Amino acid sequence: KNQVEQSPQSLIILEGKNCTLQCNYTVSPFSNLRWYKQDTGRGPVSLTIMTFSENTKSNGRYTATLDADTKQSSLHITASQLSDSASYICVVSEETSYDKVIFGPGTSLSVIP
Amino acid sequence: GAVVSQHPSWVICKSGTSVKIECRSLDFQATTMFWYRQFPKQSLMLMATSNEGSKATYEQGVEKDKFLINHASLTLSTLTVTSAHPEDSSFYICSAKDSGAHQPQHFGDGTRLSIL
C-alpha cells in the first residue's frame, strides 16, 4: 500500500533555531516528492519539488533532501522565523498517467520567540 | 507563478441549504482539478478528481449526489454541497494542475464551510 509518513507530528522551536522534518514513503512507482507549507486556514503552498535523480533542493531558508534508495526525505529550515509556524506536508506522486499524489499527515511546527 | 482562486473563503448557512464553491485557475489552463476536504489537525483528503469536459471521478465513500462537481471550462471548476448538514462543515480546498508529467498541483486558499 502506498503510504507517506512524517515525523515528528509536532515540533516547537525557538526563533532563530534550525530544525529538520522527516518524511518516509512507500510509494511505488515513484514520480516526485514535494514539500508544502500550509498556514492555518490557508491552502498549501509548494516549497520544493524533487524527482528521482535529485538529492537536494533549496528554496531560501528551506532545504529539502531526497534519498530515493531509502525512500526518505527531509526538510531543513534554517534560522527559523515566527512566520515559519505552519503545517509542513510531504506529498509524493505516483508515476501514473494522472500523477496521483499521496499526502503525508503533516508536521505542525510552532516557532516561539 | 500559477494562481488558483477559490471563492467564497468562508460561508455560514442553515442546514438544508445548497452551497456552491468556485475554483478558478487565473493564469494557466487547468486540465485537471482536485477537490479536497480537511478536518482540523488532519491532512487533506481527496474527494474527487475533475477533468475538463468529463464527469468527475469520486473517491470511495464520497457521495457524488451530495457533492456535485462541474468542470465546464479549463479555468473553472465548481463544487456544490447539496442539502448541507452540520456534518458537512469542514474546510474544502481545491487544486489545479496543467497537463504533462511532473506538473505540481496549485492550491486555492480553501473555503471554510459552517452549517448551522
Side-chain angles (χ1 to χ4, degrees):
Chain A
K1 182 181 178 182
N2 289 330
Q3 285 186 317
V4 178
E5 298 177 344
Q6 291 186 242
S7 62
Q9 183 177 27
S10 61
L11 183 62
I12 301 173
I13 61 173
L14 291 174
E15 185 180 11
K17 296 297 185 181
N18 304 334
C19 68
T20 301
L21 314 180
Q22 301 290 342
C23 174
N24 298 330
Y25 62 93
T26 58
V27 177
S28 181
F30 174 83
S31 175
N32 58 73
L33 184 148
R34 300 186 181 97
W35 283 93
Y36 284 88
K37 177 187 179 188
Q38 185 179 21
D39 293 312
T40 302
R42 304 293 297 275
V45 174
S46 178
L47 296 175
T48 63
I49 175 173
M50 288 183 291
T51 58
F52 186 86
S53 59
E54 296 176 297
N55 300 118
T56 185
K57 184 163 283 188
S58 292
N59 177 2
R61 294 181 295 104
Y62 301 103
T63 300
T65 65
L66 174 65
D67 186 332
D69 292 329
T70 62
K71 299 187 177 181
Q72 296 180 325
S73 175
S74 67
L75 180 69
H76 186 76
I77 304 175
T78 305
S80 61
Q81 299 176 358
L82 298 179
S83 59
D84 292 332
S85 296
S87 180
Y88 291 83
I89 305 171
C90 175
V91 181
V92 182
S93 293
E94 190 181 296
E95 188 67 63
T96 63
S97 60
Y98 50 83
D99 219 16
K100 182 177 180 180
V101 299
I102 296 99
F103 286 82
T107 292
S108 177
L109 175 65
S110 297
V111 181
I112 59 175
Chain B
V3 177
V4 173
S5 174
Q6 193 172 335
H7 178 81
S9 58
W10 201 320
V11 59
I12 302 173
C13 58
K14 294 181 179 180
S15 183
T17 306
S18 291
V19 179
K20 179 185 283 188
I21 303 170
E22 291 187 349
C23 181
R24 294 180 185 273
S25 57
L26 298 186
D27 50 3
F28 67 102
Q29 292 187 328
T31 54
T32 306
M33 287 186 168
F34 305 85
W35 287 96
Y36 296 87
R37 184 172 181 176
Q38 187 177 32
F39 292 104
K41 299 190 184 300
Q42 294 187 25
S43 192
L44 284 71
M45 185 176 64
L46 180 65
M47 297 175 65
T49 301
S50 167
N51 289 293
E52 187 267 337
S54 62
K55 289 185 178 181
T57 302
Y58 290 82
E59 295 298 301
Q60 191 173 8
V62 178
E63 300 175 58
K64 62 180 181 180
D65 294 330
K66 173 76 172 178
F67 300 99
L68 301 179
I69 292 172
N70 185 289
H71 192 166
S73 77
L74 285 172
T75 60
L76 174 65
S77 176
T78 61
L79 168 69
T80 302
V81 184
T82 61
S83 187
H85 289 92
E87 59 265 28
D88 298 323
S89 299
S90 189
F91 192 51
Y92 292 87
I93 303 176
C94 74
S95 73
K97 67 185 291 286
D98 202 347
S99 60
H102 309 310
Q103 293 298 318
Q105 292 186 32
H106 302 285
F107 289 87
D109 262 349
T111 297
R112 174 76 56 195
L113 176 62
S114 297
I115 308 298
L116 305 178

